[in-house]
Amino acid sequence: NRRSKVLVNLEAPEKNYSQRGETMCPQDGYVLFRNSELLCGNLGKKILGGAKNGLFFRLLRDCSADAAVACMSRLSKVTSR
């Protein structure tokens, strides 16, 4: 959401990361967020979850619980359509 003031920077390998070139992984297994925009990779359970490198964990730790809830709400709206 462009109106949100929350900015997240995240780099992490996903389960299908091929170990060949981080951002140019042929299987899109390396996830890269810059200024809350997904630049490359596919989002799986490992990236979205509450693990140490997870998106929701980062939002809870760096921003607030309200920011994590808003992100979860927006993501559920996108996936349910």
Side-chain angles (χ1 to χ4, degrees), residues 8-14 22-23 30-34 40 47 53 58:
V8 175
N9 294 316
L10 172 70
E11 285 187 47
E14 184 55 71
E22 288 184 346
T23 57
Y30 196 81
V31 178
L32 177 65
F33 276 98
R34 286 287 177 245
C40 68
I47 294 298
N53 283 335
R58 292 275 179 102

Side-chain angles (χ1 to χ4, degrees), residues 4-69:
S4 176
K5 302 287 186 212
V6 176
L7 297 177
V8 175
N9 294 316
L10 172 70
E11 285 187 47
E14 184 55 71
K15 190 169 137 181
N16 59 347
Y17 179 51
S18 67
Q19 303 292 330
R20 285 185 272 142
E22 288 184 346
T23 57
M24 298 303 289
C25 175
Q27 299 173 341
D28 273 343
Y30 196 81
V31 178
L32 177 65
F33 276 98
R34 286 287 177 245
N35 295 329
S36 297
E37 290 189 31
L38 178 64
L39 297 180
C40 68
N42 55 9
L43 299 178
K45 190 166 80 170
K46 181 178 175 184
I47 294 298
L48 290 177
K52 191 186 263 187
N53 283 335
L55 178 64
F56 298 139
F57 175 78
R58 292 275 179 102
L59 284 170
L60 278 169
R61 187 189 68 189
D62 297 341
C63 300
S64 67
D66 292 335
V69 168

